[in-house]
Amino acid sequence: MKNPFAPRQWLPHERPMMPGSPSTPLHSPPKRLAYAVVGFIITLTGGLSNALVTANQQNLQGALGVFTAEIAWLPAAYVMTNVSMNLLLVKFRQEFGLRLFTEVFLVLYALITFGHLFANDLGSALAVRAAHGMTGAALSSLGIYYTLQGFPPAWRMRGMAYGVSLTALALPFARILPVEMLEFSEWRGLYLFELGLSLISLGCVLLLKLPPGDRVKTFEKADFITFVLFAPGMALLCAVLSLGRTLWWFDTPWIGWALAGGIALVATAIYYEHHRTNPLINLRWWVSPGMLRMGLLMALVRFVLAEQSTTGAVGLMQAMGLGVEHMQPMFHAMFAGTVAGIVVCTLTLNPQRLMLPVVLSLLMIIVGAWMDSQATNLTRPAQMVLSQFLLAFGGTWFLAPVMFLEIGSILAQPRNLISFIVLFGISQNLGGLLGSAMLGTFQTWREKFHSSHIVEHLSLLEPQVAARIHQGSSLYSHTTTDPVLNNVQGMASLAAAATREAHVRAYNDVFLLVAAIAALVLFFVLAQALWLRLSKPKAVPAAAAAR
């Protein structure tokens, strides 16, 4: 019987990047195009699994008949199981091969998506969302592998940049999908669409298989101890960040217990890994200056890009009373900015000049956030088109160059692949959750501040206040003849206007904070580039060296 772990003989251009990844034989142009299309379909399918819920959370709340705090568990359940799965998935690919990995996880993904159609309450919906998080982690790497096969060897790095950037397309795409999809059997219309995509993806990978790669025996019993400690700890931290702002940090006892338990479990996993002979996570590599810099930059940009979520521009429009159908101009701008960022990143990537796109993308984020900070109660989605385009463009363009700053250390030491993928996933998931949680908390705090400041200046003795109340009460004079009730309605109208103004000012403060954080990140990047330039040893002239 042939040994599946026996080393294969590869031509130089075919050799896989590392065990668990496919080989890279030469393909004809039509076949390269087919690989690129399949990679796009798989990446979009995997991203939409959470993006559809995030983009339609309010509508799903009504369909399931639950409160705001309860519906917040849906995206949280996905991230809780998704964030740690790569600890095992990378080794699964390396030991059991790409073909089994591809077919098993795509079949599971399609079955779980089919299970969504039978979720009739919050409990069953949470169960399938958690299962989706585990299988969805497999599709992101699978999509990148297919995408890389679509690029010639000279463009392999640009293909990697395209595949990584493509993951940002799912959320803006989910937001521009027609709202009428929700009218078909309540929320099941969304998942019929996703089920169709998952079946198309499964058919594509069965017809067009990835080239084989090397297999190595990698699993150890100690790996599962690390996973049992690390995965629940990260899940608890994700739950705290997802629900803390909704339930409020100091009003819900279980949030404190979950935070303490999550920190204890993750710390125990780190301690255990630190003393292993062959650790699953290379902690010493994690805390190297380069990896700390990359993780911090990616997490900070995910933090900043929370401005485009319900804690930013979308939240501002919702505070104005606008629904998803009214925000389509803004959503189309986000989608166009993301597509432009993917195209520009792919075509302009230069491994020798990675700092330039990082700086330019941060400048776009700063300008976009500052433009949003000038909003008033008359601002509508049409006025935020340019700013949201810049934010989406900058955020998409930023990701791949930052990742490639440290790609050399991964290629030089393939055993660090698991550590890198886990760090990348944590920075993206926790960075986004932390951004939404902290910006949302800051917005609530500033709204209370502005509300109290506005209300303390509202006095019935002020002629303008009295005139505003009279104006509001006159709107109801045709339906109510009671002057006292009309006056109450007028005061309620004034209070609603004051609350709306407080929300606008609070969101402006959030946008300014986002711009300030992006500016600090830009300063850090420039300072680091200057330090590396100044500390670089100068070349010694040949004549002087010969003496």
Side-chain angles (χ1 to χ4, degrees), residues 4 46 60 90 123 127 139 144 179 211 252 267 295 333 371 377 387 448 456 465 468 470 480 482 532:
L60 295 178
V90 177
L139 267 68
I144 292 176
V179 182
T252 310
M371 291 174 65
N377 56 20
S387 61
K448 301 301 180 188
E456 72 179 6
V465 174
R468 183 65 180 266
H470 177 73
T480 306
D482 187 348
L532 292 175

Side-chain angles (χ1 to χ4, degrees), residues 52-53 56 59-65 74 112-122 124-125 128 132 177-197:
L52 286 172
V53 172
N56 297 280
N59 296 318
L60 295 178
Q61 178 183 344
L64 291 173
L74 276 186
I112 294 169
T113 306
F114 183 69
H116 276 76
L117 303 179
F118 301 94
N120 297 314
D121 56 14
L122 183 63
S124 56
V128 292
H132 230 168
L177 288 176
V179 182
E180 289 74 18
M181 292 178 65
L182 289 167
E183 297 176 1
F184 179 76
S185 190
E186 296 178 336
W187 66 309
R188 294 175 182 82
L190 291 174
Y191 286 102
L192 281 174
F193 174 75
E194 188 178 357
L195 177 61
L197 276 179

Side-chain angles (χ1 to χ4, degrees), residues 44-69:
L44 190 61
T45 302
L48 282 176
S49 59
N50 194 42
L52 286 172
V53 172
T54 303
N56 297 280
Q57 194 166 321
Q58 282 189 326
N59 296 318
L60 295 178
Q61 178 183 344
L64 291 173
V66 295
F67 296 106
T68 302

Side-chain angles (χ1 to χ4, degrees), residues 223-307:
D223 294 340
F224 297 96
I225 298 177
T226 300
F227 184 79
V228 168
L229 292 170
F230 191 80
M234 293 302 298
L236 288 173
L237 294 179
C238 290
V240 169
L241 292 175
S242 299
L243 277 296
R245 182 216 174 189
T246 305
L247 300 174
W248 202 247
W249 309 97
F250 306 111
D251 293 346
T252 310
W254 73 260
I255 290 180
W257 289 110
L259 180 61
I263 293 174
L265 286 171
V266 172
T268 304
I270 290 174
Y271 178 82
Y272 178 73
E273 280 291 288
H274 182 70
H275 290 86
R276 282 183 60 184
T277 305
N278 186 25
L280 185 64
I281 304 173
N282 190 346
L283 297 174
R284 293 177 178 83
W285 186 65
W286 259 20
V287 297
S288 63
M291 295 309 298
L292 284 176
R293 178 180 65 242
M294 187 197 74
L296 179 63
L297 286 176
M298 290 195 298
L300 281 174
V301 168
R302 286 292 298 163
F303 183 101
V304 167
L305 290 180
E307 201 266 77

Side-chain angles (χ1 to χ4, degrees), residues 358-380:
V358 171
V359 171
L360 292 178
S361 58
L362 284 171
L363 286 174
M364 290 182 182
I365 293 173
I366 293 170
V367 172
W370 180 83
M371 291 174 65
D372 284 346
S373 69
Q374 311 302 309
T376 68
N377 56 20
L378 298 178
T379 300
R380 294 296 180 266

Side-chain angles (χ1 to χ4, degrees), residues 388-403:
Q388 293 304 305
F389 176 87
L390 291 174
L391 284 164
F393 193 144
T396 306
W397 194 13
F398 178 91
L399 186 59
V402 169
M403 189 186 73

